[in-house]
Amino acid sequence: MNKKTITYKYPAHITWQTPSGKPLVFFAAPATEIDQWVGVPQRSRLDDEETIGFQRQENKTRIKEISSFYHDERNIVQNPLLAAPQSETSVKFTQLDGHSEFGTLEISSPDFSESSLLSLMSQVVERLETRVPELKEAPLDQDRLSSIMDRGRKEHGIDNGLDEDDDTTEENGNGSEDDAASVLLTDETHLIDFYTELKGRIKVLEALDPDQNPERILGFDRGAMISYLKPIMLVDGQHRLRGAVLAAEHRAEETDGVEYLLEAAEQGKDPNQAESEFIAQHARRLPVSLLMDPNPSEHVFQFVVVNQKATPMGKALLGTIVSTSLSKDELNPVAQRLKDAGIKLDDSQAIAYLTRADESPFKNCVQTGIMGPTGDRNTSLQWSVLKGLVGIFRELSGGKLYDQPTDWARVWAKHHLGESALVGGFETQEEKMAEWARQDGPWRDIFIRFYSNIRDIFGSDDPEASNAWGTTRSNLFNKISLTILAADYFEYLRVQKMTLNSVDDVDSTMASWLEGVNNAYFNRNWKVEKKDTPAVRKTWSRLWHNYRKNPESLPKEGSFNPVSGA
């Protein structure tokens, strides 16, 4: 067990939201210190077995983005990490004399540095049994235990010492219905399986030579076990915490960090200790809201409230706010910081322009995230769909017909963009792509002209028409059809070995692309209600592609619905 305990102390403020509710303690601490005493209960897989945490697995890209955001010391995050104690004895708030709401918070954390994996696993089992006493009496799955022990024999060369007889009773490998119900109604539905996996690995560890002290056994490692035993459980904010720690670690790799380490080496200090000291000195202090309730059910409840009940800011609204609330002069000073924070500002600005510009065929036809009497219609094109269409033309990526693997926009760019007079003043393909894809680069006029022509050729102003422009109820104005048309156009340009030297070239190439095509193609009852399914996407793609190449007769209306079998 852990004999040594480390105590952390912080000035804090305690408050009660309601007379009957548990208190909240607010304080701040260096991210690297928080990382020492907080556990993150991730719902992940160890050795392909699902653990009992409720946090999502770490998103490495998001952590890097937050780390970049934290790297700029001007950037401040106001919302605190949300946490709760794992036991009533792990935290203590001592009030200052004469100040009932101010005082000192003490967090007592075991020192796990010298604890063996066997000891850690045994402590996790004890904690689970404390949470759910029924686990001690519940019969374990003997087949699961036998499988774990067989693996232990094969992977660790154990010839004997593994006793497959468990100290629990077995009734056909399962407990009674009452026993099963008592387990399933506990805080975590997968608790019994996780508990069994731990018990099996403990048996394997006990059978190893006493001199062996592995860091990992059959996919379960020390780090994961320690996370369950730390005194504080992180309910929300794992990416903010990991991003802050990563930012501090990166600081040690910069000039001032290297100079500090060199000076420490000259003084005879241990390099690892010196690096830890530097990182600790430069770690950002993060605010923490600690709910003084050790009940795991409350922890899960709080997580659900934060992630499900709170209304998140959708991409459409975020893009609308960022792109339209600031003037260019106001936006410039923070533009790079927004990009460093993972907010794709250029995309937001480009899409916002297309939803508002008079010359854009998508004006007032796309969701902005703004609600109210003049807000979004549920038949408006989703912001994310327009973003995908923009990507085909701006990034020259994603131009795939749904029944084919080839990205025709990418292939066209590789072979023909370099020949275009629109990017003629640049040398390398990389420079040409960058010029093409500027926020207001050549792509935008090409994009607007292409979809304006599509609207004029195939669309209708009548919102009730099957080919209505501006409502996703139509056969034309929806993600599938608009994507198919763009992908097929780029395929035509590639096959015909055509480039685009001007916006007028869009008109001429589209005229040859659509030669013989009936303008009423989309103005019929296709008898499809649910459009965005894999079968419908592939069917529509195949029907259009084949018809456009040989437009002698329109496909039968019933053929657009693969479910009907017509």
Side-chain angles (χ1 to χ4, degrees):
M1 294 297 176
N2 315 297
K3 297 180 180 179
K4 184 180 177 182
T5 299
I6 305 172
T7 301
Y8 301 86
K9 297 183 179 182
Y10 307 102
H13 177 268
I14 191 169
T15 187
W16 285 258
Q17 289 190 0
T18 65
S20 59
K22 295 287 185 177
L24 288 168
V25 178
F26 299 98
F27 65 102
T32 49
E33 275 193 19
I34 297 174
D35 197 41
Q36 295 299 308
W37 45 254
V38 78
V40 181
Q42 292 182 351
R43 172 69 77 176
S44 58
R45 288 187 176 273
L46 299 177
D47 191 44
D48 205 34
E49 293 298 332
E50 191 169 357
T51 64
I52 62 170
F54 51 81
Q55 289 273 16
R56 291 178 289 270
Q57 288 182 274
E58 289 183 351
N59 183 322
K60 303 298 183 184
T61 300
R62 187 177 176 192
I63 290 173
K64 289 180 180 178
E65 289 175 348
I66 293 176
S67 175
S68 297
F69 176 84
Y70 280 147
H71 189 72
D72 188 332
E73 294 185 354
R74 297 171 297 174
N75 294 340
I76 302 298
V77 172
Q78 288 185 271
N79 51 320
L81 307 179
L82 306 184
Q86 296 233 58
S87 71
E88 293 181 351
T89 59
S90 61
V91 295
K92 177 183 177 184
F93 180 81
T94 304
Q95 297 174 338
L96 291 176
D97 293 340
H99 300 276
S100 60
E101 293 188 354
F102 294 91
T104 300
L105 178 71
E106 295 184 18
I107 300 175
S108 299
S109 177
D111 182 0
F112 300 106
S113 61
E114 297 182 2
S115 298
S116 67
L117 182 56
L118 175 58
S119 172
L120 294 171
M121 283 191 168
S122 298
Q123 291 178 67
V124 174
V125 165
E126 290 176 8
R127 180 160 291 184
L128 293 176
E129 291 173 345
T130 300
R131 279 178 54 183
V132 187
E134 294 91 341
L135 285 173
K136 291 183 179 181
E137 307 300 329
L140 301 181
D141 185 336
Q142 297 301 310
D143 290 338
R144 185 185 285 262
L145 284 173
S146 296
S147 176
I148 295 170
M149 294 172 193
D150 287 342
R151 286 189 56 199
R153 292 187 183 95
K154 294 176 182 178
E155 296 185 22
H156 294 277
I158 302 172
D159 295 326
N160 50 50
L162 275 179
D163 183 8
E164 296 192 15
D165 293 329
D166 197 79
D167 56 1
T168 58
T169 59
E170 179 184 0
E171 298 177 12
N172 298 323
N174 298 294
S176 68
E177 291 183 3
D178 290 341
D179 288 336
S182 69
V183 173
L184 291 173
L185 291 175
T186 56
D187 300 317
E188 303 283 353
T189 58
H190 296 279
L191 195 57
I192 184 64
D193 290 341
F194 185 61
Y195 178 79
T196 305
E197 292 289 333
L198 287 170
K199 295 281 281 188
R201 283 163 177 76
I202 286 174
K203 284 184 172 293
V204 174
L205 286 168
E206 289 174 338
L208 292 177
D209 188 288
D211 293 336
Q212 295 187 48
N213 186 20
E215 295 285 306
R216 182 184 183 90
I217 190 77
L218 303 181
F220 282 38
D221 58 35
R222 283 174 51 84
M225 296 303 103
I226 290 174
S227 183
Y228 290 108
L229 297 171
K230 288 184 177 182
I232 305 294
M233 186 71 73
L234 192 64
V235 176
D236 184 69
Q238 63 167 323
H239 291 96
R240 277 172 280 146
L241 174 60
R242 291 303 311 152
V245 173
L246 183 63
E249 292 172 348
H250 285 170
R251 183 73 181 271
E253 301 172 359
E254 297 177 352
T255 303
D256 53 346
V258 173
E259 291 176 352
Y260 181 92
L261 296 179
L262 290 174
E263 184 178 341
E266 293 175 357
Q267 297 173 358
K269 285 187 177 181
D270 177 79
N272 292 330
Q273 181 181 352
E275 183 180 30
S276 297
E277 290 175 355
F278 181 86
I279 291 173
Q281 291 172 11
H282 292 82
R284 179 180 289 253
R285 292 179 66 85
L286 299 179
V288 181
S289 174
L290 182 69
L291 176 64
M292 299 290 273
D293 189 341
N295 190 331
S297 295
E298 182 64 21
H299 302 169
V300 176
F301 174 79
Q302 292 295 327
F303 176 81
V304 172
V305 169
V306 170
N307 289 275
Q308 297 296 327
K309 296 300 183 183
T311 303
M313 181 178 290
K315 293 181 179 178
L317 181 56
L318 174 62
T320 300
I321 291 173
V322 170
S323 303
T324 62
S325 297
L326 302 176
S327 68
K328 183 176 181 180
D329 290 340
E330 291 171 326
L331 189 59
N332 284 337
V334 296
Q336 188 59 49
R337 291 170 65 192
L338 287 169
K339 293 177 183 177
D340 292 341
I343 297 174
K344 299 186 182 303
L345 183 61
D346 286 347
D347 284 347
S348 296
Q349 291 174 308
I351 298 169
Y353 177 86
L354 293 170
T355 64
R356 289 167 175 78
D358 290 335
E359 70 268 28
S360 171
F362 293 96
K363 181 182 179 182
N364 297 329
C365 297
V366 180
Q367 294 180 5
T368 62
I370 301 174
M371 308 307 294
T374 59
D376 292 335
R377 293 175 289 112
N378 57 12
T379 57
S380 296
L381 200 69
Q382 291 185 4
W383 178 279
S384 58
V385 172
L386 182 57
K387 183 177 184 297
L389 298 177
V390 165
I392 296 175
F393 285 81
R394 184 181 186 186
E395 306 299 333
L396 294 171
S397 175
K400 294 182 180 181
L401 290 159
Y402 289 110
D403 61 331
Q404 299 180 19
T406 304
D407 187 336
W408 290 107
R410 186 181 298 277
V411 173
W412 177 83
K414 178 180 179 180
H415 293 278
H416 303 293
L417 177 64
E419 306 165 7
S420 173
L422 294 170
V423 292
F426 299 85
E427 296 293 331
T428 67
Q429 180 74 356
E430 183 177 359
E431 291 173 339
K432 292 175 185 288
M433 283 290 294
E435 169 62 16
W436 173 271
R438 280 187 298 105
Q439 180 190 324
D440 57 350
W443 75 271
R444 193 167 75 181
D445 289 337
I446 300 295
F447 177 93
I448 290 174
R449 181 65 64 88
F450 176 82
Y451 280 113
S452 294
N453 288 347
I454 291 294
R455 177 197 59 194
D456 297 340
I457 294 169
F458 294 112
S460 170
D461 294 331
D462 180 1
E464 301 302 320
S466 296
N467 61 335
W469 187 266
T471 171
T472 55
R473 286 195 296 261
S474 84
N475 299 329
L476 174 63
F477 193 78
N478 60 71
K479 167 188 170 182
I480 304 172
S481 292
L482 296 176
T483 300
I484 290 170
L485 291 167
D488 189 54
Y489 175 64
F490 276 108
E491 188 219 24
Y492 178 83
L493 292 180
R494 167 56 187 148
V495 171
Q496 299 299 321
K497 299 182 180 180
M498 295 178 171
T499 192
L500 298 171
N501 293 306
S502 68
V503 175
D504 291 339
D505 281 350
V506 177
D507 297 337
S508 59
T509 54
M510 287 186 71
S512 58
W513 170 53
L514 298 175
E515 184 177 358
V517 169
N518 191 326
N519 292 3
Y521 182 91
F522 296 91
N523 190 23
R524 297 178 300 146
N525 184 4
W526 288 359
K527 303 175 183 179
V528 177
E529 293 185 4
K530 190 175 182 180
K531 301 183 181 74
D532 199 5
T533 67
V536 169
R537 290 194 293 263
K538 290 181 180 180
T539 298
W540 286 15
S541 180
R542 174 178 50 79
L543 289 172
W544 165 262
H545 190 240
N546 291 341
Y547 170 75
R548 195 267 303 166
K549 286 189 171 182
N550 184 26
E552 291 184 356
S553 60
L554 291 168
K556 294 181 180 179
E557 291 181 345
S559 62
F560 288 89
N561 186 355
V563 179
S564 69

